Amino acid sequence: MDQFTGKGVYGAIAIGKISILKKQTARVRRVRIDDPEKEIRRFEQAKEAAAGQLARIYETALREADESCAAIFEAHRMILDDEAYNRSVRDMITAEKNGAEYAVFQTAERFAELFSRSDDPCLKARGADVRDISHRIISNLLGEDPDGQPLKEKSILCALDLSPSETVSLDKEKILAFITVQGSVNSHTAILARSMNIPAVVGVGEAFWSAVKDGAEAIVDGFTGEVFLDPDRDTLERFREKQRREEAEQRLLRELKGKANVTADGTTIDIFANIGSVDQAEEALENDAGGIGLFRSEFLYLESRDFPSEEQQFTAYRQVLERMGGKKVIIRTLDIGADKQADYFHLKKEENPALGYRAIRICLTRPDIFRTQLRALYRASLYGNLGIMFPMITSVSELHRILQICAEVRSELKAGSVPYSETVELGIMIETPAAALISDELAEMVDFFSVGTNDLIQYTLACDRQNPDIEQFVDPHHKAVLRLIRMSADNAHRHGARIGICGELAADTTLTETFLRMGIDELSVSPSYVLKVRQAVRKADLSGKTPAALPPFCP
Ligand code: PEP
Ligand code: MG
């Protein structure tokens, strides 16, 4: 038995077989070769295999999708014959004596970079195609199946790392748990694992990657971050017992369904759920959430191969609103960028993506995208109780522009006799220290705030949430963070706005009482945490105690 420790991101136990998700780019190393002729033959064979695979995929796409979808694979096949592409790979093999894998990888990167500089959107899109087909050739060279084998049975998925878009496309029904070698607890991948109720451990380290084998038996403890490979009988029994206790605890929590979120002294609070897809509205309801405090709309974009149309978005928003049957639904406008990347946005590589071109900055500089989303949201507003929320706000002028665009979209709809609800509330995320510090001015302009603690922590403590190496310096309970939340709460209430928390800290039950004392109106958490937070609220008693732990508001 081997034991490894990473960071648990969703508390639950899984016992089962390992399935390794191969990620080849990390395995493309620069090796010097002696026999370029042989290497070129390997390249040609890998291309031939790729051509056969593409022909099969083309047929399947024609059968199961349509011609435009199939055309993507025809475009890939054409790259295989492209003169410049082939010359570059051959030159890197013969002149520089590189292995074929590295020559293909470097050629793909060079071509993709060239395409990304083009102003023509069609040429830009070719960058992704070149990477995709090169990925296929490299897989063939490495003897891997480029189309991946679908998981045959429910297994524990292991990967070096998973991007948010890879995580959303995982077949949840087939996954018992996941383990990543890299990754940090506040990354979107970790957040997704929590919202999908999948036991998960991230940052388990390179030694695990060397030891793990497909099909091996393993235990994943999402509470402690422990992973056991080939566990012995005693360990298995210990964890089966822990699993049983956890199930009993879950049964106990289920008894809280239908009960109020009220403290012993009568203080109440709303407990809402965070979701990333229409289907998750069902989980929110199953867990008795009072509404949706954060619908991360960018996942609609991440799951898509191109910009979702107004109609597609309208349908998704309408479905969520209808399923929630009149309960509040706060939909956040597109928060793409940084770790959440969709190829068709063609975002440039940045030195500091968290401080870069993301979220509302994209929406304000590409109003076509923003207006399409706003039109879809306003049209859907007729079907429920909608709040629209804007991410990454830092200034009053930015918010003025946003509200102006919203007003223009409403006028446009009115002029076209397209109905929408007049009671849509508008709010912003408080996730930058700047927003918290000017929350008095911002509160006058909106109906509600929602504190995004994941980003607020990273920007306040200057700790990149994606970087697992600095997690020891991240103190989510840092006074600076709590003071900013308190300051935002006081300012919101002073100006008649409501305030919620939708970052992961909202589910930290050691802070529930502190948040209640601050007067936070709503906590929004992953669906599976709703009842746990309700339990913490019902245990709290705010009467008669001095709020020693409450950070002061310093005007
Ligand atoms: C946050 O920053 O706390 C938040 C809720 O937004 P996201 O995690 O999607 O950045
Ligand atoms: Mg955020």
Side-chain angles (χ1 to χ4, degrees):
M1 176 173 86
D2 288 317
Q3 184 178 347
F4 303 88
T5 309
K7 290 151 219 142
V9 295
Y10 178 70
I13 312 277
I15 301 174
K17 289 224 161 49
I18 294 276
S19 180
I20 300 177
L21 185 76
K22 295 182 176 109
K23 296 201 70 179
Q24 41 148 299
T25 38
R27 298 177 55 200
V28 178
R29 300 229 164 85
R30 185 173 198 169
V31 286
R32 288 189 68 78
I33 46 106
D34 304 324
D35 188 350
E37 300 273 302
K38 185 176 152 209
E39 212 56 20
I40 286 177
R41 270 199 309 280
R42 284 185 67 230
F43 169 57
E44 294 298 337
Q45 281 161 3
K47 273 200 320 171
E48 217 175 285
Q53 290 153 357
L54 286 173
R56 283 193 294 279
I57 300 174
Y58 179 83
E59 290 304 323
T60 315
L62 267 188
R63 223 176 25 250
E64 290 177 14
D66 56 25
E67 209 154 318
S68 63
C69 180
I72 298 166
F73 301 102
E74 178 55 17
H76 284 193
R77 210 201 48 72
M78 282 161 68
I79 298 169
L80 289 178
D81 298 331
D82 186 87
E83 182 68 36
Y85 180 85
N86 279 289
R87 196 176 331 113
S88 164
V89 175
R90 282 205 206 94
D91 284 354
M92 287 193 70
I93 295 175
T94 42
E96 298 169 31
K97 304 266 190 300
N98 286 305
E101 289 88 343
Y102 186 76
V104 173
F105 182 68
Q106 283 301 326
T107 298
E109 289 305 302
R110 263 207 354 245
F111 275 58
E113 171 64 26
L114 280 176
F115 284 131
S116 76
R117 285 199 223 127
S118 165
D119 291 330
D120 177 347
C122 289
L123 275 182
K124 268 187 194 289
R126 297 270 293 169
D129 288 338
V130 175
R131 280 209 177 97
D132 219 340
I133 184 66
S134 302
H135 183 95
R136 178 174 294 284
I137 299 172
I138 297 169
S139 290
N140 290 332
L141 282 163
L142 291 169
E144 295 176 357
D145 178 354
D147 300 308
Q149 291 300 327
L151 297 175
K152 288 190 203 74
E153 53 180 321
K154 257 194 150 180
S155 10
I156 299 172
L157 194 76
C158 301
L160 269 176
D161 203 359
L162 284 169
S163 69
S165 49
E166 283 168 324
T167 315
V168 281
S169 33
L170 294 174
D171 179 359
K172 196 181 146 198
E173 298 308 310
K174 292 275 174 62
I175 295 172
L176 275 176
F178 73 69
I179 306 171
T180 61
V181 174
Q182 295 150 8
S184 60
V185 283
N186 266 333
S187 65
H188 284 98
T189 304
I191 292 172
L192 276 168
R194 276 193 279 274
S195 70
M196 290 157 90
N197 295 351
I198 299 178
V201 172
V202 299
V204 78
E206 293 288 338
F208 168 80
W209 196 237
S210 315
V212 69
K213 295 213 170 48
D214 242 334
E217 178 132 26
I219 299 174
V220 178
D221 185 339
F223 295 98
T224 61
E226 285 170 303
V227 174
F228 299 86
L229 285 181
D230 301 317
D232 55 38
R233 210 176 315 154
D234 283 354
T235 313
L236 264 177
E237 201 29 61
R238 188 155 55 86
F239 278 89
R240 286 205 179 108
E241 177 52 33
K242 192 166 177 183
Q243 219 172 17
R244 281 192 286 272
R245 280 203 308 274
E246 173 55 20
E247 278 159 16
E249 166 82 359
Q250 287 300 327
R251 273 196 299 279
L252 212 70
L253 282 178
R254 283 199 286 276
E255 284 173 17
L256 290 178
K257 282 191 191 180
K259 303 244 163 87
N261 307 312
V262 61
T263 61
D265 60 297
T267 308
T268 59
I269 191 166
D270 283 325
I271 304 180
F272 287 2
N274 296 342
I275 60 169
S277 69
V278 175
D279 292 343
Q280 276 188 331
E282 233 46 76
E283 274 170 59
L285 289 170
E286 257 166 47
N287 286 282
D288 207 19
I292 302 295
L294 169 65
F295 177 11
R296 289 183 164 94
S297 72
E298 57 275 12
F299 286 112
L300 293 178
Y301 292 72
L302 289 179
E303 285 164 5
S304 195
R305 286 186 73 96
D306 206 343
F307 292 100
S309 64
E310 179 182 320
E311 224 39 51
Q312 284 167 328
Q313 293 190 59
F314 164 72
T315 307
Y317 304 147
R318 173 181 171 166
Q319 282 173 349
V320 174
L321 285 157
E322 284 180 339
R323 283 190 201 177
M324 293 307 293
K327 291 183 169 164
K328 187 93 211 166
V329 175
I330 298 177
I331 302 183
R332 174 174 76 184
T333 57
L334 179 65
D335 185 12
I336 212 134
D339 63 320
K340 289 180 277 192
Q341 294 284 338
D343 285 345
Y344 58 86
F345 273 82
H346 302 298
L347 301 177
K348 275 202 235 127
K349 239 185 153 62
E350 294 175 292
E351 285 292 317
N352 290 304
L355 304 180
Y357 188 53
R358 56 171 293 204
I360 203 68
R361 298 169 184 180
I362 296 180
C363 289
L364 288 176
T365 47
R366 297 184 64 179
D368 48 323
I369 300 176
F370 195 32
R371 281 172 190 273
T372 304
Q373 181 167 37
L374 288 172
R375 280 181 62 91
L377 283 165
Y378 273 110
R379 283 176 53 204
S381 65
L382 282 181
Y383 300 89
N385 182 0
L386 175 68
I388 305 177
M389 174 159 77
F390 307 101
M392 274 291 286
I393 300 300
T394 57
S395 72
V396 167
S397 61
E398 213 168 49
L399 186 53
H400 266 304
R401 277 163 69 201
I402 294 167
L403 298 180
Q404 176 65 33
I405 295 173
C406 288
E408 285 166 14
V409 167
R410 287 194 302 268
S411 308
E412 208 177 277
L413 291 172
K414 206 167 261 170
S417 306
V418 181
Y420 63 87
S421 161
E422 297 285 351
T423 58
V424 176
E425 292 195 333
L426 299 180
I428 57 167
M429 294 202 61
I430 300 287
E431 50 185 350
T432 65
L437 291 165
I438 58 164
S439 52
D440 52 340
E441 292 182 51
L442 296 172
E444 288 180 353
M445 302 167 72
V446 292
D447 301 303
F448 65 90
F449 286 164
S450 186
V451 185
T453 50
N454 309 332
D455 278 317
L456 187 63
I457 292 168
Q458 83 161 338
Y459 295 130
T460 307
L461 305 183
C463 284
D464 179 357
R465 67 194 265 196
Q466 291 296 112
N467 186 345
D469 299 336
I470 52 170
E471 269 171 13
Q472 57 173 309
F473 301 105
V474 183
D475 171 12
H477 295 201
H478 196 294
K479 256 192 230 161
V481 174
L482 295 179
R483 279 190 192 180
L484 290 173
I485 301 176
R486 167 108 199 248
M487 179 185 283
S488 306
D490 287 350
N491 280 328
H493 292 148
R494 201 164 293 155
H495 295 281
R498 275 174 301 103
I499 181 163
I501 301 179
C502 64
E504 298 299 289
L505 211 56
D508 180 340
T509 48
T510 65
L511 284 175
T512 307
E513 189 171 322
T514 306
F515 292 148
L516 282 159
R517 287 187 184 280
M518 285 184 189
I520 297 293
D521 302 295
E522 164 234 311
L523 294 170
S524 190
V525 297
S526 292
S528 54
Y529 285 85
V530 168
L531 295 173
K532 222 175 187 124
V533 177
R534 176 171 296 163
Q535 186 184 47
V537 169
R538 293 174 67 86
K539 277 187 188 158
D541 184 353
L542 312 188
S543 63
K545 278 194 223 159
T546 358
L550 198 61
F553 167 35
C554 316

